[in-house]
Amino acid sequence: NAGVTQTPKFRILKIGQSMTLQCTQDMNHNYMYWYRQDPGMGLKLIYYSVGAGITDKGEVPNGYNVSRSTTEDFPLRLELAAPSQTSVYFCASTDKSSGNTIYFGEGSWLTVV
Amino acid sequence: QKEVEQNSGPLSVPEGAIASLNCTYSDRGSQSFFWYRQYSGKSPELIMSIYSNGDKEDGRFTAQLNKASQYVSLLIRDSQPSDSATYLCAVNQRGNQFYFGTGTSLTVIP
């Protein structure tokens, strides 16, 4: 009963480094999302995808890239990490089959120093 | 104007009381409405979903939707200390775009 799985859970990056946050879901959902949540703040949409091969920018896409080569996987790439990217990142998915309810992964805590 | 607005709180209620959480949204085309609970350091988890005007009850939780007023609320009856968390209102618009409020922090005092 995995749902949405994110890795890694915690990571410390140095300024200028790059990394990929992995996200996979086993619910056969077409729609997948990446959000970031800064301390005490709400969720901000970074990128989303409506199906394999289709991605689009959300509210705060700068400094990030995504790909969606399969229905299951939606990795988020951080290029040239900056302290402003220190945040908690949540991957999520949904589909009509789940009543359009959005399901979240457990989160990835990223610190850029 | 923000897509979804919530009172940030914090909201404090005594144990056993009713907690009332409110949310307004800007897009009349919004189709689905959700309340998520988020404990500190955890991911949001679904509490309630509501799709049509009126009330929907699930145990101690009641969601209320008024599309004419663009207003959705969550009532928690017999509040327990374990209900202490941040509650996020989410609205689903066309094309499966989800917008979240900034959350209301609730503390239930034993």
Side-chain angles (χ1 to χ4, degrees):
Chain A
N1 199 18
V4 180
T5 303
Q6 292 180 233
T7 56
K9 192 155 187 175
F10 300 97
R11 181 74 185 267
I12 298 174
L13 274 182
K14 292 185 178 179
I15 294 172
Q17 286 185 322
S18 299
M19 75 161 297
T20 299
L21 299 177
Q22 302 291 343
C23 176
T24 187
Q25 52 92 9
D26 62 359
M27 297 174 281
N28 202 33
H29 286 171
N30 282 313
Y31 302 94
M32 296 189 73
Y33 309 84
W34 274 106
Y35 290 91
R36 61 175 287 173
Q37 186 177 37
D38 298 330
M41 304 295 286
L43 294 160
K44 292 188 177 180
L45 182 64
I46 305 171
Y47 270 95
Y48 68 99
S49 170
V50 301
I54 306 170
T55 62
D56 210 344
K57 296 178 180 179
E59 185 183 357
V60 289
N62 291 343
Y64 307 94
N65 273 303
V66 293
S67 60
R68 185 92 183 273
S69 56
T70 66
T71 299
E72 295 79 19
D73 300 308
F74 190 41
L76 177 72
R77 176 107 179 132
L78 281 73
E79 304 280 2
L80 298 174
S84 61
Q85 293 178 303
T86 294
S87 190
V88 181
Y89 292 83
F90 291 105
C91 181
S93 73
T94 188
D95 215 307
K96 290 181 181 179
S97 61
S98 63
N100 288 332
T101 298
I102 194 167
Y103 293 93
F104 289 89
E106 293 189 339
S108 296
W109 273 254
L110 176 66
T111 301
V112 181
V113 296
Chain B
Q1 182 185 8
K2 292 183 180 179
E3 299 283 348
V4 178
E5 298 209 46
Q6 294 181 248
N7 291 330
S8 60
L11 175 66
S12 294
V13 299
E15 184 175 354
I18 296 175
S20 177
L21 306 165
N22 304 312
C23 172
T24 58
Y25 60 95
S26 61
D27 189 343
R28 287 191 175 275
S30 300
Q31 300 165 340
S32 311
F33 307 86
F34 307 88
W35 283 99
Y36 285 83
R37 177 176 63 199
Q38 187 176 25
Y39 292 114
S40 180
K42 300 293 185 182
S43 60
E45 58 176 330
L46 181 70
I47 298 296
M48 292 281 290
S49 59
I50 187 165
Y51 304 97
S52 55
N53 280 330
D55 295 358
K56 179 181 178 183
E57 186 174 321
D58 183 1
R60 296 186 295 110
F61 299 94
T62 299
Q64 299 173 318
L65 174 62
N66 183 327
K67 288 187 177 181
S69 301
Q70 295 174 246
Y71 176 90
V72 58
S73 66
L74 180 71
L75 299 177
I76 306 175
R77 291 182 301 281
D78 188 23
S79 295
Q80 300 297 308
S82 59
D83 295 327
S84 298
T86 296
Y87 289 81
L88 300 171
C89 173
V91 174
N92 173 226
Q93 298 178 0
R94 294 168 286 267
N96 277 83
Q97 296 270 1
F98 287 83
Y99 292 91
F100 288 82
T102 54
T104 299
S105 175
L106 172 66
T107 299
V108 180
I109 303 167

